[in-house]
Amino acid sequence: EEVKKKTRELLKTQHSLIVSLANMVEARDGVTGLHIMYTSAYVEIIARALQKVPKYQYIMSDSYVSVLSEAAPLHDIGKISIPDAILRKEGALTQEEHRIIQSHPRLGAQIIDGVLSDVESNAYLETAKEMASFHHERWDGSGYPYGLEGEEIPLSARIMSIADVYDALRAERSYKDACSKEEAKEIIVAQSGTHFDPELVEVFLSCIEEIEAVK
C-alpha cells in the first residue's frame, strides 16, 4: 500500500510538471494556461460522449479517456523549439516561417520520445505523441506535417483537433476578437468532412453545452 501511495504521488507530481511545461510553451505563444485547461476538458467531454457511440465503445474505456485528457496538454509541446521571432510575429509569416511553424508537430513527437519516455506509461506516451504529431492533420488530407487522410489520422488527434480549434475560435487574442458560441459552432460544422472527422463533429455538437459550461 505504501508503494502504491508513493507511485500515485510520483505520477501526480510528474503530471503537474508536464502541465507546467506545457503552460510555459503556451505562454511563449501569447496564450494563457486556460487553453491547456479548456482543451483538456473538451477532449475528455468529447471522449465521454464517444463512449455512448457503439462504434467507439470498445475503444473508449474509462482509463483511455483519462489518458486522452492527461495527454492533451502536450499537443503543442513542439513549439518550444520555434524561435520567438516567428512564434510571436504579429504580421504575416513568410513561406519559410510557415515551414518552420509547421515543423512543431514533428518536434513535439521528438521531445516526447526523448524527454518523457522514462516517466510515464506507454499508453500515455503513445497518446501524447499521437496528439502532438497529428493534431494539425485534416480529414481531407490537406493538413500537415504528413498529409494523412480520414481514419489514417489517429482518433486521439482527431478529437484534439476539434478541441484545439474550438477553443482558439472562442478565445480572444491580441490579433483577434473571440467568436461567439454560434459563430464558432458554424465554423466547425462548415469544416466537417474537410478539416474534421464528420462523426466527431456530430458528437461534438451533442455535447457543446457541456463544453461551454467549462468556462
Side-chain angles (χ1 to χ4, degrees):
E1 287 301 317
E2 187 64 23
V3 170
K4 289 180 180 178
K5 180 182 177 182
K6 293 295 184 183
T7 300
R8 286 194 297 269
E9 290 174 351
L10 178 60
L11 290 174
K12 184 177 180 180
T13 299
Q14 289 171 349
H15 183 63
S16 295
L17 289 170
I18 289 165
V19 172
S20 295
L21 176 61
N23 282 330
M24 290 171 61
V25 174
E26 295 291 350
R28 289 186 63 238
D29 197 16
V31 179
T32 70
L34 290 175
H35 178 67
I36 295 293
M37 183 180 73
Y38 290 158
T39 52
S40 295
Y42 300 166
V43 163
E44 182 171 1
I45 290 167
I46 294 169
R48 293 283 178 205
L50 282 171
Q51 289 183 315
K52 302 172 185 177
V53 179
K55 178 179 177 179
Y56 297 102
Q57 284 177 343
Y58 76 98
I59 301 173
M60 287 295 163
S61 64
D62 287 343
S63 61
Y64 184 53
V65 170
S66 295
V67 166
L68 287 170
S69 177
E70 291 174 6
L74 292 177
H75 70 279
D76 270 340
I77 197 73
K79 286 184 177 178
I80 200 168
S81 300
I82 306 299
D84 280 344
I86 297 175
L87 198 60
R88 309 192 73 164
K89 185 176 179 179
E90 294 186 0
L93 298 177
T94 66
Q95 186 174 355
E96 177 61 15
E97 288 168 342
H98 271 296
R99 185 192 66 78
I100 292 171
I101 282 284
Q102 290 180 351
S103 70
H104 81 266
R106 294 178 190 269
L107 295 170
Q110 291 172 10
I111 290 168
I112 292 167
D113 253 345
V115 178
L116 301 179
S117 58
D118 293 329
V119 300
E120 283 290 352
S121 68
N122 287 337
Y124 177 93
L125 178 65
E126 289 305 316
T127 304
K129 280 176 60 179
E130 286 177 355
M131 288 179 158
S133 297
F134 308 121
H135 69 283
H136 282 295
E137 301 291 346
R138 293 177 176 240
W139 186 253
D140 65 1
S142 66
Y144 66 87
Y146 302 104
L148 300 185
E149 182 178 354
E151 292 188 358
E152 291 177 343
I153 307 165
L155 178 60
S156 61
R158 294 176 354 237
I159 296 170
M160 186 72 246
S161 178
I162 293 178
D164 190 36
V165 172
Y166 187 75
D167 186 64
L169 290 169
R170 293 287 283 120
E172 183 178 351
R173 298 284 186 263
S174 59
Y175 53 86
K176 76 172 189 71
D177 294 328
C179 291
S180 69
K181 180 186 79 170
E182 288 305 316
E183 289 171 333
K185 176 181 171 181
E186 287 175 7
I187 291 170
I188 296 293
V189 170
Q191 296 184 22
S192 175
T194 53
H195 191 153
F196 307 114
D197 178 341
E199 289 185 341
L200 293 189
V201 169
E202 290 300 317
V203 173
F204 163 79
L205 293 175
S206 74
C207 55
I208 192 168
E209 297 304 325
E210 187 178 356
I211 285 172
E212 280 292 314
V214 171
K215 297 193 176 187

